Amino acid sequence: MTEYEVEMALAGGVNLSYWNPGSEYKAQIKDILKINFEQDIFDYQYYIPERLQKVVATKLGFSEKELSLASFSAFSQSTVSIVTVSAFLAKKNLKLGIVSPVYFSVQTCCNDLKIPYVFFDEFAPNVNESFDENLLLKSECDAFWFTSPINSTSVYFNQKVKDGIQKILDAGRWVILDESLCVNGMELSRTFGIHEKLIYIYSPHKTLGIQGIKFSTVVTHQKYYAEIDSLRDSYGGSLNCSSLQGVAHFASSNFEGCVGFYNTFWQKNLEVIKQVLSRYDFVRVSPEVAGHYAMVFVNRSVDEKNFVDSMKALMKKVGYSVYPGFMQGFDTTRRFCFRVNLLLNKVDLEKGLVAVLDYFKNTLFVANSMKGE
């Protein structure tokens, strides 16, 4: 089944893997969130306002010294940033190595823009243990695309992976770091700074589940400013009013208050998840989770179609379901997994996860064992 077919099949009810926050999180962060609605709604706006550029750059982890070397290009959202960076790679005729798991639109962009690419999925699910930069450096790829935190897991790269990325840069290869879901304060910019062949993608509000005022920025060495700016004009267009509100909010102290609440909320729900998982001997979650997505790994083989059929049956019965991990870029033929959104309501996470795991244990595993799987 395709990702779209899975999504349509599991529409309705409460999907524990869904991307939107629950009502409790929305209501509580709404009381904290303070944004300025006094924005120009008439004229075209293309750039981060000059008065806010230094604040935004500093909050993203760049030192004052690095600002003279950096270029910050603003976009309405990270998907548009991904398209623009992909167009940049295509214009330079670069062969791309995609370190999986990765956000789905990267592969789509490569296909549509005729960018030659290779998937490196040997390191999943635990990139921090299995990463080997030599495998990448031995390839014919000119550039490598990383997603931090690791897509849909909220797990950040350890020193081993960071050292490997540095070796790739030292070898003169390009590196793209998609940090759209990075919690502010944990950016890899604080490790690598500005390099001539290093591109960052950020979208600070996306992490917080505040999609209505989000913006994105692509950070490159200043020598590529004109190329990126030209592509931004073609693929990104002007910023809308809500994106400019997002820039202003990110530059304000209120953003830190929202991050603090966000961290407290997902951490409490992660403890709920861990308590539920402790009752089952066939599932685990990474101890390194540091954000609102957690990938639950199942120590059994689960056929994808059987899984979707079982989730449809479960939704009709109790109203809960989850998406299979292949929708987040994981090879579920090796190890089945599904994502849980820790910004959902506590009662839904607790009841829903119990319902899903009980169904796994009592129905799905039994059916698979009868088939000899």
Side-chain angles (χ1 to χ4, degrees), residues 181-193:
L181 267 173
C182 179
V183 177
N184 186 227
M186 301 185 70
E187 295 89 352
L188 289 171
S189 57
R190 303 168 195 276
T191 299
F192 299 112

Side-chain angles (χ1 to χ4, degrees), residues 190-206:
R190 303 168 195 276
T191 299
F192 299 112
I194 299 296
H195 283 255
E196 187 172 319
K197 291 187 176 181
L198 177 57
I199 299 174
Y200 299 94
I201 300 173
Y202 292 109
S203 185
H205 288 88
K206 186 174 182 179

Side-chain angles (χ1 to χ4, degrees), residues 219-271:
V219 186
T220 64
H221 191 281
Q222 64 176 3
K223 71 180 295 182
Y224 301 110
Y225 169 76
E227 291 177 77
I228 294 291
D229 190 55
S230 176
L231 291 169
R232 180 205 50 72
D233 200 26
S234 299
Y235 291 94
S238 63
L239 297 173
N240 51 37
C241 179
S242 60
S243 295
L244 290 169
Q245 289 174 356
V247 172
H249 179 252
F250 179 61
S252 74
S253 60
N254 185 253
F255 184 83
E256 280 87 76
C258 292
V259 172
F261 172 74
Y262 162 84
N263 284 329
T264 299
F265 196 96
W266 70 256
Q267 286 168 3
K268 287 181 179 178
N269 275 341
L270 179 59
E271 291 306 310

Side-chain angles (χ1 to χ4, degrees), residues 14 16 314 318 320-322 346-357:
V14 177
L16 303 185
L314 183 62
V318 296
Y320 292 104
S321 66
V322 294
K346 176 184 175 182
V347 64
D348 286 328
L349 285 170
E350 192 165 22
K351 289 177 61 178
L353 194 54
V354 168
V356 168
L357 294 179

Side-chain angles (χ1 to χ4, degrees), residues 126 128-129 153-158 270 285-291:
N126 195 337
N128 282 334
E129 283 187 8
T153 67
S154 300
V155 174
Y156 290 79
F157 295 145
N158 63 9
L270 179 59
V285 66
S286 172
E288 302 171 282
V289 171

Side-chain angles (χ1 to χ4, degrees), residues 143-347:
F144 299 95
W145 193 296
F146 294 85
T147 305
S148 176
I150 300 165
N151 191 40
S152 294
T153 67
S154 300
V155 174
Y156 290 79
F157 295 145
N158 63 9
Q159 194 59 48
K160 174 184 177 181
V161 181
K162 293 177 185 178
D163 290 343
I165 293 173
Q166 185 63 59
K167 289 178 183 177
I168 293 170
L169 290 169
D170 292 341
R173 310 284 185 97
W174 287 84
V175 170
I176 299 92
L177 296 175
D178 180 359
E179 297 196 86
S180 302
L181 267 173
C182 179
V183 177
N184 186 227
M186 301 185 70
E187 295 89 352
L188 289 171
S189 57
R190 303 168 195 276
T191 299
F192 299 112
I194 299 296
H195 283 255
E196 187 172 319
K197 291 187 176 181
L198 177 57
I199 299 174
Y200 299 94
I201 300 173
Y202 292 109
S203 185
H205 288 88
K206 186 174 182 179
T207 304
L208 303 183
I210 304 175
Q211 310 299 341
I213 61 168
K214 67 183 177 184
F215 73 100
S216 180
T217 183
V218 172
V219 186
T220 64
H221 191 281
Q222 64 176 3
K223 71 180 295 182
Y224 301 110
Y225 169 76
E227 291 177 77
I228 294 291
D229 190 55
S230 176
L231 291 169
R232 180 205 50 72
D233 200 26
S234 299
Y235 291 94
S238 63
L239 297 173
N240 51 37
C241 179
S242 60
S243 295
L244 290 169
Q245 289 174 356
V247 172
H249 179 252
F250 179 61
S252 74
S253 60
N254 185 253
F255 184 83
E256 280 87 76
C258 292
V259 172
F261 172 74
Y262 162 84
N263 284 329
T264 299
F265 196 96
W266 70 256
Q267 286 168 3
K268 287 181 179 178
N269 275 341
L270 179 59
E271 291 306 310
V272 172
I273 294 300
K274 288 179 177 179
Q275 289 172 16
V276 172
L277 295 183
S278 68
R279 306 172 206 164
Y280 303 84
D281 62 1
F282 56 86
V283 287
R284 70 169 183 85
V285 66
S286 172
E288 302 171 282
V289 171
H292 72 278
Y293 286 138
M295 190 65 70
V296 176
F297 293 95
V298 180
N299 297 328
R300 302 282 181 89
S301 173
V302 182
D303 178 79
E304 287 177 357
K305 187 170 188 316
N306 285 348
F307 174 80
V308 173
D309 289 342
S310 70
M311 289 299 101
K312 288 168 67 176
L314 183 62
M315 181 174 287
K316 290 178 182 178
K317 184 178 179 181
V318 296
Y320 292 104
S321 66
V322 294
Y323 286 143
F326 81 80
M327 294 182 67
Q328 286 82 45
F330 283 81
D331 182 356
T332 51
T333 62
R334 299 183 186 184
R335 177 174 240 173
F336 200 82
C337 57
F338 59 89
R339 186 178 75 184
V340 175
N341 182 350
L342 301 177
L343 297 185
L344 294 176
N345 295 350
K346 176 184 175 182
V347 64

Side-chain angles (χ1 to χ4, degrees), residues 89-100:
L89 299 177
K91 285 178 70 71
K92 292 201 167 296
N93 297 312
L94 300 178
K95 183 175 181 179
L96 182 64
I98 301 174
V99 180
S100 181

